[in-house]
Each structure stands twice: as structure tokens, then as C-alpha cells.
Amino acid sequence: MLSGKSGKAGDQALLTGDLSQTSSDLPARSLSSRLMAIFFVSAFALVVAASTILYWAAIHALQYADDQVVEKRMTAVAELLRAKELNEGMIAHEVNEDNQGPRQIFIRVVSRHEPIALETIGMDAVLPVSLFPDMSAAPRESAKRLSIETGNGGIYRALSIRVPVTAHPDAGDAIIQVATDTKLDKKSMSWFTRFLGMVLAAALPMSAVVSWLLVRRELKPLEHIAAAASAVNSATLDKRLVLEGLPSELHSLGLQFNSMLGRLDQTCSELKHYADTIAHEMRTPLSRMRLESEIALSSAETADDLRGVVASNAEECERLTRLLHALLFLARTDSKQASINPQRLHLATELATIAEYFEASASAAGASISVTCPGYSYINADRELLQRALGNLVANAIAHSSEGGRIDLKASGGTACGAGVIISVSDTGHGIAAEHHARIFDRFYRAAMNTGDSGGTRLGLGLSIVKSIVELHGGQIALKSEHGKGTAFIITLPHHASPADEGERV
């Protein structure tokens, strides 16, 4: 699942700060088990819901069929009663036609005209008139449907309607009562219920199996991602997760994973370069100290010879001390342990102090230092750190200046109304080529130019320290330079700088 393709950078992930919590302390929760449970419950609930709907649909369908049968027989009798010539024999035939058979249909005609006051044989014993609604006051031709439950447990679907007797209007309207038993409906529903029970019994294990198969299939990409993650080590950080074929949700995860690998790869490369550079920076003075000490032990004859070796070693120790102090400062700023002690500073005074301190060095390099700053400019900043940052920039400018060069310290802003401050340190020296601008603030980075540092006394950490100090104050630093035309570092600081809540003083 890992390839050589790089992914796009993603949003920063949320991390917990509790490093004491290990994997053994975390609750064991299986995503696949939870998904299987959700799919299983959902699938089985869907089957149960469908079965319930089918069950009630079957009941209503059978009831509808019973209503159609009853209505058809009622219509046949009602048409005979509405006829101009009353056919009493035909009415009697209709009343007793379905007295026998698997589905009994009972018909009763209630009328004052005696010849047509008929009912199916045995109907009075099963369905007496009292079980039907009183239709004497009901509107003519208005049918009323109902279910009748008898004392012996029988259930009948019935219909009652009042119709006119056209051939004998003096006899008044007749009431037709029709009912059919539902024994066949009960048998059908009993069979259908058993069938649904078998469906539910089969659906239970089938839902579990289908859920397991679906979850296993859908979680396969996650297993591949986990396998790819377990294969990551310092030697495979250049590999990337293959995103082809991943679902859209996991595709986003894969992009973030590849982005993380890219950041890890870059960080490891930087750490390796950082460690190699530190080793080189420390090896050089240590080698000199050892070589000079060995020479002194083998050939020094006078106290002056030994004193010269000790003085040289002291210089190398001073260089190592500066290196370690610089690294310690950068480490503290990286780990957010550094804090500042801001105080109200008169900016013109601070710049003049720095210019005076470096005036001798600038003169020795054949350069001059000038300060331009309005007298009303004030800033809240850490004096020691501000002087260190500006001192590094001035020292850097002196190192890159030639005979007749000029170094300008300028400031603006910092008024009483709370405006921010802009400080620039510019020189007319060699300048920095455009290809070096992006990495000029990197640690141990030295642009390939004639710096006059043939002895290797400069560490390549000065600009990194300047940037860290500016950012500690909540500011920004920018570079403007062109090769052969000088360099300007522009610092923008807010008017107010608050000390950090936590951390140790740098």
C-alpha cells in the first residue's frame, strides 16, 4: 500500500497531550464489532418492519376481499327488491344459495312484507338480528360495514343497508343484512404467520452473516492503511500510501497520512542535517584543541609556548560555549519554554546604544553606522533580547560590508496611540542572491558568498536566533536583498508584548 508518490498537505490533526496514557490503558473498542452490530440491528429491524407491514397488509387484503363478497351478494338482493315486479322465489334462492361450502354467506331481509322477510337457514342461531346495527333511521342506500364476533368465537364480516321495495311501497323499506364467516381468513393468516416466522428465523443468522461480510469488505482499506502505517520507519519515510481505489472518506484520510509522512520525512531529514552540522561544528574546535595540545605535549619547551596553546584552547572553548548557548536558546523557543520580560523602552536610546557598541567593529571593517529614529518612539519589549536580535543583525551587516560601506539602523512608529514599530537594519554590502532568501533563517545555513569568515568563527545561527526573538515578541521579520546591492532586514513588532504565561527566562 506504500508507493513513492507524495500526498498533499492536510489540516493539522488533534493530538492529546497525555503521554502517560499507553495503548494498554485505552478501552478496547472494536469498530468492526460496532459496525456489525449496527448493520445487523438495522437489517433485522428492516426485515421485522417489512414482515409487520406485510402481515397487516394481508389482514386488510382479506378483509377487503370479504367486503367485496358481501357487497356483491347484497347488490344482487337489493336489485331484486328494487325491481318493479317482485320475484320472491329468486330472492329466496339468493338468500340460501351459499348456505353450504367452505365459506358460508348469511343473508337476511327484514321487511313488513311477509313473503320477502327471509333469512339463510340457521342464521338466527348464529347471527341474530340484535348483532346488526339498527338501520331503521339510517339514510336509504347507505351501507354500514362491520365485523361481528359471536359468542362461540366466530368472527364475521358483515354489511347492513336499507333499500326501497319498489313493487310494494306500502310495505316500507327493507333492510338487507349480509355476513360471511372468516374461517378461511384465519387459516390463511395462520399459514402466513408461520411463513413470516420462518422468514424472521432465517433472517436472524443471515443478517449477522451479511453484516459480517459487508463490514469485513468495507474495512479492508483500513486494514491496508494500518499495515502501511506499521511498515513505516526511518528508512521508508519516502514511501507514500496508494490512494487509488480508496473510498472518498478514506481517501481524505490517506491524503492526511501521506502529508504526515511528508512532514516526518522532512523533519527527519532536517534533524539528520541538524545533527550532522552540530557534530561538524563541535568537531572542528575539538580537533584543533586536541591537535594543539598534542603538539604542545610533544614539542613545547617554554611557558610561553604552553600559554599560547592554553589561550588558543580558551578561544575554542568560547566558541563551543556560544554554540551551546545558541542551541539551548533555540531549543527553548521551539519547546515554548522561553518567555520574555517586556518593559517600556525608548527606541532611539536603544538603537544608539547598539550603534555605539559596534562602532569600533564597523570602523575596523571600513564601514559607518547611522541611526534614524524619531524621539517619540517607544516600545514594550525585552531589552536584553531586543539588543541581542539587533546586535546579531548589525554584526552580520558588518561581516558583509566592504571598505566605505554604510550600515543604517532605522525605526518608525511606536507612538503614544499604540501603533506598532518597524525597525530595519540595512547595509550596502555584498547582498544575498535570491536563491538563498527562502532558507536564510534556517539554522546553520550559510549563503555561498564571500563573508570574510575564513576561520569559520560564525556559527550560522544568528539569523535563526533573531527570528525566534522577533516571534517571541509576536512580530515578524522580512528580508529585502539583491546580490551586489546590499541587504535590509525589516522587523515589525506590536506596540505591546506580553510575557508568556509559562516557561523559563532565556
Side-chain angles (χ1 to χ4, degrees), residues 38-50:
I38 292 173
F39 289 161
F40 169 73
V41 171
S42 301
F44 191 67
L46 185 62
V47 174
V48 171

Side-chain angles (χ1 to χ4, degrees), residues 301-498:
E301 298 179 354
T302 64
D304 290 338
D305 293 337
L306 294 176
R307 189 177 293 110
V309 172
V310 172
S312 177
N313 286 349
E315 290 180 4
E316 298 298 340
C317 288
E318 174 64 22
R319 184 172 185 272
L320 286 174
T321 301
R322 286 189 291 111
L323 172 62
L324 293 176
H325 283 174
L327 292 175
L328 180 60
F329 174 81
L330 292 173
R332 287 174 176 173
T333 56
D334 286 345
S335 61
K336 310 301 181 183
Q337 293 179 352
S339 64
I340 61 175
N341 182 26
Q343 51 188 304
R344 193 165 185 265
L345 303 177
H346 185 239
L347 200 52
T349 301
E350 298 303 320
L351 295 183
T353 300
I354 293 172
E356 182 180 357
Y357 179 82
F358 285 96
E359 187 175 0
S361 300
S363 298
S368 62
I369 300 180
S370 66
V371 176
T372 305
C373 180
Y376 55 76
S377 293
Y378 286 86
I379 185 175
N380 287 342
D382 188 303
R383 171 178 276 126
E384 181 182 343
L385 293 181
L386 180 63
Q387 290 179 351
R388 184 175 184 180
L390 296 178
N392 281 355
L393 292 178
V394 173
N396 193 66
I398 293 173
H400 295 85
S401 293
S402 55
E403 186 70 27
R406 188 180 70 255
I407 300 168
D408 297 322
L409 278 72
K410 296 181 181 180
S412 61
T415 60
C417 63
V421 173
I422 298 176
I423 305 172
S424 67
V425 179
S426 59
D427 62 66
T428 57
H430 310 293
I432 302 173
E435 61 266 22
H436 301 298
H437 288 193
R439 298 192 57 195
I440 198 65
F441 294 105
D442 291 354
R443 297 167 192 182
F444 296 110
Y445 184 76
R446 299 182 181 93
M449 63 179 67
N450 180 19
T451 64
D453 186 27
S454 60
T457 59
R458 303 189 62 81
L459 302 175
L461 294 174
L463 293 179
S464 298
I465 292 175
V466 172
K467 183 181 180 183
S468 296
I469 292 174
V470 171
E471 291 176 348
L472 273 176
H473 285 79
Q476 296 178 333
I477 184 169
L479 166 67
K480 287 186 178 180
S481 181
E482 189 174 345
H483 189 56
K485 294 185 179 181
T487 301
F489 288 95
I490 302 168
I491 297 174
T492 304
L493 296 176
H495 183 260
H496 295 286
S498 301

